[in-house]
């Protein structure tokens, strides 16, 4: 009645107070008024008003959501800008770091080049001194040869034997004559040689890099190359390697193939040498093996000459047979004559062997280092002319052997 006097279900019907029905509860006369209905939604206008308020609330919420979205976009844009700035800083720092590294490498290269040039000057001085020494030795050898010719009717005394051994401590006269003749010939040719202009400069050595690799020793036990000799074959093509697998491999650099595998050693191959048609190997069991071939190039087939020779003592039996502890061979060199092999073991013993084709290899001289019990030999190098042997020791010293006298001519520390 308070909302317009209309029936809420049928709007065409009007209502007044006379149409109200009085309700009585129980037997009393007390009248209880009916509960009041909420006015919201009781009519279409109220429904429209509620819809309008809901619509306004939705629009307000949408406005606030869009405002939050705009703030979020602004924060995201700022974060992206800061990230881009950080990336630019990192790029600049990386560029500066690379420039600093390049400057450091250039400085190190310059220092290395200066040091190499200084070393080259020192080596040149030492080379001139050695050439002067060679001239003195050549003059001395000529005088000795003349004296020998004058006393040809006098029989030379036999070479003495090292104390406690059956091998002479000096190279016999006939073998030394052959070595001296070879030394004279090579020394004269070496002095007249012209140094090639195509040799690498010290500064170019820093740019060397690996261009390929080849696995030669494929044993399932211990892989690895322990010794190497390059360019000793007649054509300069063959490389000889010694490995932990107790094998020596002849490899052709031109055809990139293995020409032959030398077997028979009972220990890892610690030293190898290849010169002309003669190849020699030394192993950790103190044994020396010499191989020869009658052919060259890809058709060469090396065969073992005689029996292995033990370097560390005069007993040619291997260490397993005599129960001794072997001294590993640290250096093997085929002499320029092609008929002798010089081998050195770790204990400091130097042995010169004569190659008697094609039957045997015999010891002709053995030298023992005076510091044999104080230091170990680790590596050796034979002078190209064949009369000087250099040995590096575990204490950082270099012992220079005069093969002609069988003594140490000097030392470098």
């Amino acid at each position: 009645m308070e909302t317009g006097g209309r029936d809420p279900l049928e709007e065409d019907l009007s209502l007044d107070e006379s149409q109200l029905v009085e309700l009585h509860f129980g037997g009393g006369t007390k009248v209880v008024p009916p509960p009041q209905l909420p006015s919201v939604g009781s009519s279409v206008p109220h429904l429209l008003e509620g819809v309008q308020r809901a619509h306004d609330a939705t629009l307000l919420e949408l406005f606030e959501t869009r405002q939050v979205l705009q703030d979020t976009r602004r924060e995201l844009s700022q974060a992206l800008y800061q990230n881009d700035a950080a990336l630019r800083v990192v790029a600049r720092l990386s560029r500066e770091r690379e420039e600093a590294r390049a400057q450091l490498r250039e400085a190190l290269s310059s220092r290395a080049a200066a040091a190499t040039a200084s070393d080259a000057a020192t080596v040149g001085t030492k080379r001139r001194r050695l050439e002067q020494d060679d001239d003195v030795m050549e003059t001395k050898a000529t005088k000795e040869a003349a004296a020998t010719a004058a006393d040809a009717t006098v029989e030379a005394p036999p070479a003495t034997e090292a104390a406690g051994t059956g091998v002479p401590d000096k190279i016999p006269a006939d073998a030394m004559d052959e070595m001296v003749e070879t030394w004279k010939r090579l020394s004269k040719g070496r002095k007249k040689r012209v140094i090639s202009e195509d040799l690498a400069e010290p500064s170019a050595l820093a740019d060397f890099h690996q261009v390929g690799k080849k696995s030669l020793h494929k044993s399932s036990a211990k892989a690895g190359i322990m010794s190497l000799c390059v360019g000793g074959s007649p054509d300069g093509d063959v490389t000889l390697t010694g490995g932990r697998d107790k094998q020596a491999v002849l490899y052709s650099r031109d055809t990139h193939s293995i020409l032959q595998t030398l077997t028979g050693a009972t220990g890892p191959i610690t030293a190898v040498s290849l010169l002309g048609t003669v190849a020699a190997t030394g192993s950790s069991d103190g044994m020396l093996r010499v191989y020869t071939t009658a052919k060259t190039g890809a058709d060469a087939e090396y065969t073992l000459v005689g029996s292995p020779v033990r370097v560390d003592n005069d007993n040619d039996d291997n260490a397993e047979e005599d129960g001794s502890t072997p001294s590993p061979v640290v250096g093997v060199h085929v002499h320029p004559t092609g008929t002798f092999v010089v081998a050195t073991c770790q204990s400091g013993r130097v042995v010169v062997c004569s190659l008697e084709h094609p039957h045997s290899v015999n010891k002709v001289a053995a030298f023992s280092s005076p510091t044999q019990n104080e230091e170990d030999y680790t590596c050796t190098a034979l002078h190209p002319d064949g009369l000087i042997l250099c040995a590096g020791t575990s204490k950082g010293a270099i012992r220079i052997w005069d093969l002609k006298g069988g003594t140490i001519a000097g030392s470098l520390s």
Side-chain angles (χ1 to χ4, degrees), residues 58-300:
T58 302
L59 291 178
L60 181 60
E61 183 180 1
L62 178 61
F63 173 75
E64 294 177 352
T65 302
R66 289 182 177 178
Q67 190 174 10
V68 172
L69 176 61
Q70 185 176 1
D71 294 340
T72 304
R73 286 180 175 176
R74 184 170 58 254
E75 293 176 358
L76 178 60
S77 177
Q78 185 177 3
L80 291 176
Y81 175 76
Q82 293 176 352
N83 180 71
D84 184 64
L87 291 178
R88 288 197 297 271
V89 172
V90 171
R92 179 174 57 82
L93 293 177
S94 299
R95 185 174 62 256
E96 293 177 354
R97 182 191 63 182
E98 294 300 328
E99 293 176 355
R101 286 181 174 178
Q103 293 176 359
L104 178 60
R105 286 195 296 268
E106 184 177 357
L108 293 177
S109 300
S110 301
R111 181 180 299 178
T116 305
S118 177
D119 294 342
T122 305
V123 171
T125 302
K126 293 182 178 180
R127 181 181 297 175
R128 287 192 295 272
R129 291 179 180 177
L130 289 176
E131 291 179 353
Q132 294 175 359
D133 294 341
D134 288 343
D135 293 338
V136 173
M137 292 180 65
E138 182 177 357
T139 302
K140 185 177 179 181
T142 303
K143 292 180 179 179
E144 291 179 354
T148 302
D151 300 334
T153 57
V154 180
E155 182 180 358
T160 60
E161 295 181 354
T165 68
V167 181
D169 59 356
K170 289 186 178 180
I171 300 176
D174 54 347
M176 181 52 62
D177 291 341
E178 184 178 355
M179 292 184 180
V180 170
E181 289 297 327
T182 302
W183 166 73
K184 291 180 180 180
R185 174 174 52 84
L186 295 178
S187 179
K188 291 180 180 180
R190 179 172 55 82
K191 293 178 181 179
K192 296 178 181 180
R193 78 184 189 281
V194 179
I195 300 178
S196 174
E197 297 180 354
D198 297 333
L199 296 178
E201 296 292 337
S203 58
L205 298 179
D207 298 330
F208 281 16
H209 60 279
Q210 178 178 307
V211 296
K213 62 180 181 179
K214 181 71 174 180
S215 179
L216 301 180
H217 299 266
K218 299 181 179 180
S219 173
S220 58
K222 291 183 178 180
I225 294 176
M226 301 187 67
S227 52
L228 175 70
C229 182
V230 180
S233 60
D235 55 3
D237 168 55
V238 180
T239 297
L240 177 61
T241 63
R244 295 180 182 272
D245 56 357
K246 307 176 184 180
Q247 296 179 351
V249 175
L250 292 160
Y251 175 75
S252 172
R253 299 196 304 275
D254 288 344
T255 61
H256 302 284
S257 61
I258 296 177
L259 301 179
Q260 187 179 353
T261 300
L262 307 179
T263 60
T266 57
I269 305 297
T270 54
V272 294
S273 179
L274 177 63
L275 184 62
T277 58
V278 181
T281 66
S283 53
S284 61
D285 55 1
M287 304 300 290
L288 167 69
R289 290 172 173 82
V290 181
Y291 305 83
T292 60
T293 179
K295 300 180 180 179
T296 60
D299 297 332

